[in-house]
Every structure is written in C-alpha cells, then in structure tokens.
Amino acid sequence: MKKDKNYSKKEVHNFQKSRRAFITRSAMAVGAISIIPRHVMGRGFVSPNDRINLGFIGLGKQAGGLARSFLEHTKDAQIVIGSDVWTTKNEWFKSHVSRLYAEKRNLSAYKGITTTGNYTEILERGDVDAVIIATPDHWHAIQAIEALKAGKDIYCEKPLTHKIREGIDLVKTVKKTGKILQTGSMQRSWETFQKATQLVREGYLGEIKKVLVNVGDPAVPFNLQTQPTPEEIDWNEWCGPAPMLPYNERLAPSVSTTFFPDWRLFRETGGGILTDWGAHMFDIAQWGLGKDRSGPVRFIPPKDRSAVRGMRMIYDNGIEMVHEDFGRKWGVRFIGSKGNLDISRSYLETDPPNILTANVGDATQLKSRGNHYQNWLDAIKTRTQPLCDVEIGHRSASVGNICNIAYQLGRTLEWDPVKERFKGDKEANKMRSRENRKYA
C-alpha cells in the first residue's frame, strides 16, 4: 500500500484482508511447490543460464552494500525490486542501484527496478526468484518464512533469527519447501577463517581445551527518549511484531545519517552486540570445533549479575567456550595442548608461529574474502547447499540468543541441542520465543 495518500478505513481494511489472504494462500501452497520449468510455473526454477531476479527487503545501509556486492555478478543476477517502510529509502535505493549499473557500464543488463512500501508485493511477484532480507533482526524470521512459502530462495542477514523458536521454525520451513537459504555470515567464505578452522579441526593445535570469543554486550531493554516520528516512515510497520516503541533516530536512522542503527542493542528488536557480532564469531568457534550443527550443553553466567562478559559455555565433550575480552577486539582464540590460534578480520596468528605454515591452504590467498554472494547464486542454480545454510545460521544465532537468556536470568542453564529445549526450566523455555504484537 502506498504511503503518499490518506486511505479510508474501508481501503485499509481491504488491503489488510488481501495481505492476510496472500499469506494464508502461501502457507497452504508450501506442499505443492515443485521444481518445474520456469516458463511453465514462472517461479521456483532457475536454470544455469538464467539471470536470477532479486528482490531486496530492507533498504538501509546494509542493503546498499549488498546491492554493490550482488551487482558484481550481473551475468548471474539482476535487482528488479526493493521494499522499505521509509519512502526516502525506497527512492534512495532506486537511485543507488541505477548508479551502480551505470558505474559498471552494464546498462544493457539493467531493466530498471521498482520499489514498494509493502514487502509482500515482492513475494507476490512471479518474476522474483530470490530475496535478500536486510531488515532489523525482529523481522528476519517472519519475512524469511513468508518468502519461503511464496517460493523464493533467500539470502538473510545475520543473526538469522531473533528468537530460538523462530530458528527452529525456519529450519523446518526450508526443509519443507526445498528452497535455498544462505545466512549472511560471510566470514565462512574468507580464506583466513577457512584456514584457521581447518587448522583447529585437523589437530594442529592438539587437543582443544578452551575457546575465547570476544564480542560485545548482551541486549538491554529499550531506553531511548521519544522523538517526533518522521512523516516518511510507517512506524507501525517498522515495529511490526515488536512492541510499539517510541521513535528515536538512533533506533531507526533516516537515509541521510552516517551511523549504523542502534536497534541491534535492544531486546525488543535485536540481541545486543552479543548476537550482532556473536553471529560471526560464535559461528567461527563452532565451525572450528566441528559443532556448527549443534551447540553447548551448559551455559554458566558470571556471579555478578551486572557483568557483560564472562559467560561460560560447556560442550558435551568438555570443551569450554567463554565470552571474554582477550584484548584483541572482536575475535576468537582457540587454546590447545600444542598451541594457540587467534583469528579475526584483521589477524590470523598462532603460538608457536610455525603452526600457521601448515599446508592446509594457499598462504598467498589469506587476504582473500572469497565470495559469499556468488556461492549463494551458484547454489540457487545447482540446487546445492550454500556455505552457511539455514541450520548453521540458526545454530550460531542460538548460541548468542541462549547467552542473552542466561545473562538475563543470572543462573546456569542446561541446554539440549537435539531437542532444542532447556532442561527443567520453564521460564527459560518460555523465553525461546516471543508473543508477536498484532499490528495489522
């Protein structure tokens, strides 16, 4: 529904009724989705020679960077539509994409894009093959599940989900629909992280005793002051399933601001920097330990209830992972019986140094960041799993989400990574999910 006119109550009611009917039809159609020629069905099939039509949901700073990354591959993909609840961001994104095509002097591949304030219009379009979700965390699972049910492949920004139950549901929906989902944990594609985790898994550090993961603070309740809501944003739709929060520019900045938004700091809309960067660094820790489809079985918070570091996590094999600042900014330290390894986006070092020279990768490529985006596009065409599939993304997000619960409750939690439930703790199990606000 457009944002530039005043609608009558009847028109609003009809729009909402149509939107609910679309979601219901999509849900009923999940079991009927099959891979048949694109020219017959119009969706659900992309041949190796096709150019993948992309839709963007969420058009902030992250989407701008992602658009640039995906348009490095204009022979494989083109951006045809975008959606945001800010009218100004819709306008900016259209201009941004046009400029990117012009910079590449590839206007023959550019057929123009449209934008909309209602993301379900993207899901209804039969010519959209896949969607990139770059909205705030509290929207990820809802939009991803709706997109899957509408027959779209998905690239979803990390952390993949805001709540544990959402991740469980998302994994089930991917399996049921047979669609391809890549989590935006792009460190999986970087040579440095690939070599680091391979060194750990192949025993070059000996027996792993402990892992230190330095990322930011747990989430806190929303605490910003109320500011006037800009006319160009549909604030009710931005909050969506979250509580109706007061507007503040730090929470949801306009297109003209230079800073990244603070919605990630608050329980209502994110998981703190603990999940924001934890989705990257816990992911690397789990990958190195061979636990990226599982997780720790015990979470032990610090005795000081005000502490924002010190969470101890124990795996079923006895290895301990600690949320701890080891003095080298956001990164991971693997501690083994034969040596240690430190890894981040700016360093890969071992003690002793000769461990790093092990022949497990091309040392000349250690600065390469790989291509997480091409990996997803290739997976769509070949119908194979991408580097960071839905299960991996869900499990990495779960580590941070469980840490938030344990920090908040201030007590040891026993976690069953198979059943994905806490043992003997009803309060903690209730916190695996949330009650979404009825806002339509």
Side-chain angles (χ1 to χ4, degrees), residues 78-91:
Q78 59 188 346
I79 300 171
V80 298
I81 188 170
S83 176
D84 202 281
V85 297
W86 288 83
T87 57
T88 46
K89 289 185 179 181
N90 283 319
E91 295 164 2

Side-chain angles (χ1 to χ4, degrees), residues 51 78 101 105-111:
R51 184 178 285 136
Q78 59 188 346
Y101 273 105
R105 302 183 181 217
N106 196 11
L107 292 177
S108 63
Y110 179 50
K111 307 304 180 185

Side-chain angles (χ1 to χ4, degrees), residues 141-325:
I142 289 175
Q143 291 168 335
I145 288 174
E146 287 182 15
L148 290 167
K149 291 177 178 180
K152 315 301 183 187
D153 296 309
I154 296 172
Y155 184 102
C156 186
E157 267 304 334
K158 58 81 218 164
L160 187 58
T161 54
H162 185 217
K163 296 294 181 181
I164 299 165
R165 182 72 245 181
E166 293 177 336
I168 296 171
D169 293 341
L170 188 54
V171 170
K172 289 179 179 178
T173 308
V174 168
K175 291 178 179 178
K176 190 172 184 179
T177 60
K179 306 309 293 182
I180 303 297
L181 188 149
Q182 173 91 299
T183 309
S185 298
M186 71 284 190
Q187 290 178 172
R188 288 250 169 179
S189 293
W190 294 18
E191 293 284 347
T192 46
F193 290 98
Q194 290 175 356
K195 179 165 185 174
T197 54
Q198 192 173 357
L199 286 168
V200 176
R201 290 193 305 273
E202 295 187 3
Y204 287 90
L205 300 181
E207 182 182 357
I208 301 299
K209 303 293 186 181
K210 181 183 284 191
V211 183
L212 307 181
V213 179
N214 185 26
V215 290
D217 295 356
V220 297
F222 178 76
N223 59 14
L224 298 176
Q225 294 182 344
T226 302
Q227 294 177 343
T229 304
E231 293 183 359
E232 59 266 30
I233 185 174
D234 183 337
W235 187 240
N236 179 58
E237 187 76 10
W238 188 97
C239 291
M244 189 66 179
L245 301 172
Y247 177 80
N248 185 285
E249 184 183 41
R250 295 296 314 187
L251 183 66
S254 66
V255 71
S256 61
T257 54
T258 58
F259 56 84
F260 272 79
D262 283 343
W263 50 257
R264 65 199 73 226
L265 303 181
F266 304 111
R267 291 175 187 166
E268 295 84 353
T269 51
I273 303 303
L274 175 62
T275 63
D276 186 60
W277 269 89
H280 285 307
M281 296 307 178
F282 288 130
D283 182 62
I284 297 304
Q286 295 230 124
W287 193 15
L289 295 175
K291 295 290 188 180
D292 56 3
R293 296 184 186 275
S294 181
V297 298
R298 183 176 298 115
F299 290 75
I300 308 168
K303 292 182 180 180
D304 181 358
R305 291 292 299 274
S306 65
V308 294
R309 299 288 191 283
M311 182 69 63
R312 297 170 55 221
M313 293 153 269
I314 313 298
Y315 287 89
D316 58 3
N317 57 8
I319 294 177
E320 180 180 34
M321 180 165 66
V322 187
H323 176 214
E324 179 179 318
D325 184 352

Side-chain angles (χ1 to χ4, degrees), residues 113 222 310 321 335 343 382 402 416 428:
I113 70 167
F222 178 76
M321 180 165 66
I335 302 172
I343 176 69
T382 60
I402 297 171
D416 184 335

